[in-house]
Amino acid sequence: PHKISGYGIVTISLKSVGKAPGDATSRQMDAVAGLAERYGFGEIRVTREQNLVLPHVKLDNLPQLWEALGEQELSTANIGLATDIVSCPGLDFCSLASARAIPVAQQIAQRFADLERQHHIGELRIKISGCINACGHHHLGHIGIRGVDRNGEELYQVSIGGNADGSGALGQIVGPAFTADEIVEAVNTLILTYLTLRAGEERFIDTVSRLGISPFKERLYASD
């Protein structure tokens, strides 16, 4: 919504499935700059969620803008959903990292690529950091993933219940870390547990707030 009647605030997702979260090519950014000039008073903002915003767009221009974004592979409609993942560069690009982050984000996005399933799950903020420096703000994710190094092996510690919205909350670590081969299935288990336990259209974060981490932890480590 926009405070001026007839206008809207447009968020452009940089989270198309298969791409590194938050990445855009020079060609795409040139195109977005042109669209901002044409439809948005020449203004582009970058969000902490690693997406772009055109803050002043006439509602009448939305169809044309959407079509133009689609031509640039920038029309993914997943804002706030399971594939709108925030990720730091991780070990692939950062010498401080303990584990890779981008490949994990890509694998999770592939697992939940179906848009209908994403809408069924509802709002879900997944954030990934490659180390304790927390550049991906994993501690504020509904599901947070932090890379750790244990004797040269890349592992991933999971927390749930983080929230960067008005109330604010830090995620709670659910238990022992997972290997790179296990982490996507761990996220899937958390989501399936939520879908079983949620009340009506309750969001993931609200289900965790209501029930705590115990039922999620129980499902995650049921075979241990």
Side-chain angles (χ1 to χ4, degrees):
H2 196 287
K3 66 180 180 180
I4 304 299
S5 178
Y7 282 82
I9 301 170
V10 175
T11 303
I12 302 171
S13 173
L14 298 182
K15 310 293 177 57
S16 58
V17 174
K19 302 299 176 74
D23 271 13
T25 66
S26 58
R27 173 184 59 80
Q28 287 174 322
M29 287 306 301
D30 281 341
V32 172
L35 293 173
E37 290 285 354
R38 185 172 182 180
Y39 298 117
F41 298 96
E43 185 173 354
I44 306 170
R45 301 181 188 178
V46 180
T47 76
R48 67 184 183 194
E49 300 294 326
Q50 300 174 334
N51 294 311
L52 302 176
V53 168
L54 303 184
H56 316 290
V57 178
K58 285 185 177 180
L59 297 180
D60 290 344
N61 290 332
L62 289 179
Q64 300 96 301
L65 174 59
W66 179 76
E67 288 181 3
L69 289 170
E71 293 172 0
Q72 302 298 325
E73 299 181 338
L74 290 172
S75 60
T76 302
N78 64 344
I79 298 298
L81 301 178
T83 60
D84 185 15
I85 300 170
V86 173
S87 173
C88 78
L91 195 57
D92 289 310
F93 299 99
C94 178
S95 60
L96 298 177
S98 301
R100 290 167 178 79
I102 291 174
V104 173
Q106 291 174 316
Q107 291 164 23
I108 294 172
Q110 288 285 359
R111 185 65 175 269
F112 296 96
D114 182 75
L115 194 57
E116 184 176 348
R117 186 183 183 197
Q118 290 185 62
H119 280 286
H120 178 62
I121 294 167
E123 182 185 347
L124 184 62
R125 307 287 181 172
I126 300 175
K127 301 178 185 290
I128 305 173
S129 301
C131 72
I132 199 170
N133 288 300
C135 294
H137 297 173
H138 66 277
H139 53 291
L140 295 176
H142 296 174
I143 297 175
I145 300 171
R146 176 170 77 91
V148 296
D149 182 326
R150 189 169 301 160
N151 299 321
E153 183 181 12
E154 297 174 43
L155 299 176
Y156 297 91
Q157 190 178 67
V158 175
S159 59
I160 60 174
N163 189 6
D165 295 339
S167 57
L170 297 179
Q172 298 182 65
I173 298 171
V174 295
F178 297 90
T179 68
D181 292 334
E182 297 170 335
I183 186 59
V184 176
E185 188 56 40
V187 171
N188 185 56
T189 298
L190 288 172
I191 292 173
L192 291 177
T193 302
Y194 151 67
L195 293 174
T196 300
L197 298 174
R198 71 176 174 183
E201 297 300 314
E202 190 175 49
R203 300 180 303 164
F204 180 95
I205 185 64
D206 297 324
T207 300
V208 175
S209 179
R210 176 170 58 88
L211 298 177
I213 70 171
S214 293
F216 295 91
K217 181 175 182 177
E218 183 178 335
R219 294 282 185 91
L220 273 178
Y221 303 100
S223 60
D224 291 351

